[in-house]
């Protein structure tokens, strides 16, 4: 099963594709989609949609895991993340993938066993689980890989939840 | 010029289409798109996208005005509104419309001359401006009509801003 994690954002949207390999995991794709800050938001959302569609066409993941956002901090940034998240969920379901949303706290708990783990602890564990000698960067990529690993390895509840949200690819 | 206002939401997304007529305004379309609360969010976003596309195909508005959201209240609801807003902006720009975001405070100021006007004051003025004997309902519809009236009538700055965000319809 090929799982693509997406850390949604308008300026930077991280992605990371992971498969199980033996008792461990293997990263098969990782990167960041960016859109120019000077461009209008609707256009940036269309660019994000275009790049995500290209990515899904290329990778054909079975499951797409998108970070579930909560708005507690900067209201303006949060709005952009919410809009990007909506476009990511839409694009994935219309592509026929199973789609699941997972919170950052759930990732931390699943990957490190501790829901209040630091970003560094999660990144270190992700590097170890993926057999990498360095922490994958930038942070958006590490976060996206962590979402995929969480879904694949450490969170049976997430797999159960995902089955209810499978899209059908448009003709 | 035919302007479609959209008050984004996942449970209820209001829309209202308005044209200028003489010195006043005429409502040419109004309604609410709903998606079922029991359905998964990605599917609900796909339903919203589908209905918005049908609406744009039918109405062919020149400009789409989407309420710009700020997240101050309920974090979970705000996330859904942000996701719905992203899908609305994406759908409108991909349809080739000019797209502009306007805040609720800007609508209040433009429609009533007072940025802290009550919802009832705005609705009353919208009914008057559209030559209606009753306040249009439900509230999502009145809000959407107010966005369109604000753009058409009372806010030259909004028209100027919109010109930079015109989409090109996909083949």
């Amino acid at each position: 099963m090929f799982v693509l994690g997406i850390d949604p954002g308008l300026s930077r949207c991280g992605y990371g594709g992971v498969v199980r390999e033996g008792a461990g995991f293997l990263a098969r794709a990782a990167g960041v989609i960016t859109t120019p800050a000077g461009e209008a938001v609707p256009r940036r959302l269309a660019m994000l949609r275009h790049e995500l569609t290209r990515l899904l066409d290329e990778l054909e993941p079975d499951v797409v895991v998108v970070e579930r956002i909560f708005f507690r901090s900067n209201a303006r940034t949060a709005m952009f993340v919410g809009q990007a998240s909506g476009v990511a969920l839409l694009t994935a379901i219309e592509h026929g993938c199973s789609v699941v949303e997972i919170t950052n706290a759930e990732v931390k708990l699943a990957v490190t066993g501790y829901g209040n783990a630091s970003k560094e602890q999660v990144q270190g564990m992700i590097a170890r689980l993926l057999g990498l000698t360095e922490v994958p960067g930038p942070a958006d990529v590490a976060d996206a890989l962590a979402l995929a690993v969480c879904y694949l390895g450490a969170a049976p509840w997430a797999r159960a939840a995902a089955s209810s949200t499978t899209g059908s690819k448009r003709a």
Side-chain angles (χ1 to χ4, degrees), chain A:
Chain A
M1 184 191 294
F2 184 23
V3 178
L4 184 69
I6 294 180
D7 181 25
L10 195 55
S11 294
R12 308 175 54 79
C13 179
Y15 64 88
V18 178
V19 290
R20 266 202 167 280
E21 196 179 55
F25 304 96
L26 185 68
R28 282 224 300 223
V32 175
I33 297 168
T34 61
T35 70
E39 193 59 81
V41 170
R43 274 202 209 285
R44 296 174 73 185
L45 292 169
M47 289 174 191
L48 176 60
R49 159 91 164 179
H50 181 77
E51 290 303 313
L52 283 174
T53 300
R54 243 176 42 164
L55 194 66
L56 294 174
D57 282 344
E58 185 193 325
L59 299 177
E60 292 290 355
D62 303 297
V63 179
V64 173
V65 184
V66 179
E67 183 172 340
R68 186 192 295 274
I69 312 296
F70 291 97
F71 297 129
R72 291 202 188 94
S73 52
N74 183 302
R76 190 172 161 78
T77 307
M79 178 177 64
F80 293 152
V81 174
Q83 291 170 331
S85 154
V87 167
L89 293 171
L90 175 76
T91 305
I93 196 91
E94 285 190 348
H95 202 269
C97 305
S98 287
V99 186
V100 62
E101 288 182 280
I102 298 181
T103 66
N104 192 244
E106 290 165 342
V107 169
K108 286 179 174 180
L109 186 64
V111 172
T112 70
Y114 178 53
N116 282 321
S118 70
K119 227 174 171 45
E120 290 70 29
Q121 284 174 308
V122 174
Q123 289 174 352
M125 186 57 89
I126 284 301
R128 207 177 124 193
L129 289 169
L130 292 171
L132 305 171
T133 52
E134 286 184 6
V135 169
D140 321 70
V141 169
D143 290 348
L145 288 167
L147 285 162
V149 167
C150 170
Y151 178 81
L152 268 173
W157 52 262
R159 282 200 295 279
S163 60
S164 64
T165 323
T166 302
S168 52
K169 191 163 182 173
R170 288 173 304 171

